Amino acid sequence: MFWRTMALMVAVACTGGCAKDPKAQALEACADAVAQKLVGKEFRLDRTAMQASAADDGTGAIAMSGGLLINPGMTNEEKQTVQCKARVENGKADVVSLSIIW
């Protein structure tokens, strides 16, 4: 019982306090930026491809790209590519650039 209680306490503490991987933080910031740009539209972002492509761009930012499907399953479905760069400092990710290649 003691170990279950300890595991639960650690899980609860880490929900808000454990630092995420910088690439994961950059991905979340980029995904949020895409969502803000496409407000009111249905879309599907290939987070797996973006995470797999994430790499330091040499300037301290994390660059990534992946597929974006706008209006999936509809007659006006569009396949696009997202390119994003985000900088993670002090546990906070900020998008430096975001391009949706039409």
Side-chain angles (χ1 to χ4, degrees):
M1 184 67 164
F2 171 77
W3 291 111
R4 281 190 216 167
T5 304
M6 288 301 291
L8 180 60
M9 288 172 49
V10 169
V12 169
C14 283
T15 300
C18 291
K20 281 186 175 180
D21 172 53
K23 289 181 181 179
Q25 289 179 303
L27 174 60
E28 288 304 314
C30 288
D32 289 346
V34 169
Q36 289 173 4
K37 195 163 189 118
L38 298 175
V39 170
K41 293 188 178 189
E42 286 288 320
F43 69 92
R44 194 174 317 143
L45 181 62
D46 188 347
R47 290 172 173 255
T48 304
M50 291 188 70
Q51 185 73 25
S53 72
D56 190 310
D57 74 346
T59 67
I62 298 171
M64 59 185 67
S65 65
L68 174 66
L69 197 58
I70 300 173
N71 299 319
M74 306 296 283
T75 58
N76 61 343
E77 179 179 282
E78 299 176 43
K79 292 181 182 178
Q80 312 298 331
T81 301
V82 171
Q83 293 179 336
C84 185
K85 289 184 184 182
R87 182 168 282 113
V88 180
E89 292 179 341
N90 301 321
K92 186 176 182 316
D94 293 309
V95 173
V96 176
S97 68
L98 175 68
S99 299
I100 296 177
I101 302 168
W102 303 90

